Amino acid sequence: MGFEPVGQVLGSAVYHVASSGTTWRYYDCSYPYAGWSRRVSAPALVAASGQGAASKRLVDVLLAARHAALARMTAECTALGGDGVVAANLTMAPFPSSPNCFEFQVIGTALRAQGDVRPRRPFTTHLDGQGFAKLIAGGWVPVELLVGLAIGTRHDDWTTQRQNWFGAGNQEVTGWSNLVAVTRHDARARISEQAWQTGADGVVLGDSRLTIWREECVRARRHSNNSAQKDHVAEATLVGTAVARFTMRQEPPRTLTVMPLDPHRRRARSV
């Protein structure tokens, strides 16, 4: 497809994740009736990071760390004379011996264009070599690796508790369904905003993850010292590549021939 590999590139950033006081302040549910001793029928809403909830500060620092690691990998690509990075794999892991620190690492393979047409700045994509070749053959080019991250917190209100009782029977827990839907929608909105800022025409999604856990309701504890009330927290992460369309030659793109290296599969196949 007119590109050749020039080397492996890596970007890494270690960030300390702190807050004013303790880390649980990031997961404030914002439910005004948290801590009340009597039953309240008013439904709890989802405190989403994209809507300015307390968790926005946590999302901002995680995305800043991602940008730092990605910029350092791109700088290594430029130093090698590369024009882009494929198979970029982004990971986050706790830093050893420091529970409040996380290492963000992105690693991939730098490519150099063999022709005279060169991108103005290096592209980055999660697609591997075969996926990148299919993208180019279809008239698209990768622009940038994107991460859409959102955190939603919802108080376990009276209706949620009643729907989740042991003898409640088969029914939907509407509050938790809403928590999942709002948080995922928020993550999609964040990755769409990033793609729009790059000037891309769309996003090729590579990974979608959702993590849910239970937290002590910090608002109830702070207002009435009631540690029995609980919240649920959802974290949605989308990883994808912003892509842009370019003008292709008039004839249709040729079929890509893949040669298997497995000795038990001797016949070539077309994709």
Side-chain angles (χ1 to χ4, degrees):
M1 303 306 299
F3 290 84
E4 60 181 357
V6 294
Q8 185 188 75
V9 287
L10 167 71
S12 180
V14 178
Y15 269 61
H16 179 254
V17 179
S19 66
S20 56
T22 55
T23 56
W24 44 253
R25 291 177 183 252
Y26 288 128
Y27 306 124
D28 187 347
C29 66
S30 301
Y31 186 53
Y33 302 105
W36 283 36
S37 58
R38 66 177 186 268
R39 298 169 181 175
V40 179
S41 59
L45 302 178
V46 178
S49 56
Q51 300 172 2
S55 55
K56 182 180 184 301
R57 301 194 306 274
L58 178 59
V59 170
D60 288 344
V61 71
L62 296 179
L63 291 180
R66 164 251 170 188
H67 280 290
L70 191 61
R72 289 166 186 167
M73 183 188 71
T74 305
E76 284 196 2
C77 174
T78 301
L80 291 175
D83 296 308
V85 181
V86 298
N89 182 32
L90 179 67
T91 58
M92 181 187 77
F95 194 71
S97 75
S98 184
N100 292 329
C101 288
F102 294 88
E103 180 192 12
F104 295 77
Q105 182 187 97
V106 58
I107 186 171
T109 300
L111 303 180
R112 180 190 295 122
Q114 296 174 328
D116 296 331
V117 180
R118 312 290 292 276
R120 288 177 294 179
R121 61 185 181 91
F123 60 82
T124 53
T125 176
H126 71 278
L127 295 170
D128 60 10
Q130 183 175 337
F132 171 72
K134 289 181 178 180
L135 193 70
I136 296 295
W140 297 85
V141 290
V143 179
E144 185 178 335
L145 181 69
L146 305 177
V147 177
L149 178 62
I151 296 176
T153 307
R154 188 184 185 281
H155 186 73
D156 288 351
D157 56 17
W158 167 242
T159 301
T160 301
Q161 297 177 42
R162 181 165 48 85
Q163 291 174 339
N164 195 41
W165 276 345
F166 178 76
N170 299 330
Q171 62 176 309
E172 180 185 11
V173 183
T174 54
W176 292 347
S177 296
N178 188 39
L179 171 65
V180 171
V182 170
T183 307
R184 280 180 166 155
H185 183 273
D186 193 7
R188 289 200 305 269
R190 302 290 80 77
I191 201 171
S192 297
E193 288 177 0
Q194 296 174 35
W196 180 82
Q197 292 170 0
T198 66
D201 298 309
V203 177
V204 177
L205 190 63
D207 189 20
S208 175
R209 286 164 286 180
L210 179 69
T211 305
I212 301 175
W213 67 94
R214 197 181 190 191
E215 290 274 350
E216 175 187 327
C217 180
V218 299
R219 181 169 289 252
R221 180 67 178 269
R222 185 166 64 245
H223 290 176
S224 62
N225 199 27
N226 186 343
S227 61
Q229 297 190 21
K230 304 297 180 182
D231 297 333
H232 271 76
V233 182
E235 180 180 298
T237 305
L238 300 178
V239 179
T241 299
V243 295
R245 183 177 292 279
F246 70 96
T247 303
M248 297 233 4
R249 59 188 183 274
Q250 295 301 319
E251 63 270 18
R254 63 180 176 84
T255 302
L256 296 178
T257 301
V258 180
M259 302 296 295
L261 300 180
D262 186 348
H264 300 291
R265 300 177 60 191
R266 298 181 180 179
R267 296 182 59 188
R269 61 185 177 90
S270 295
V271 296

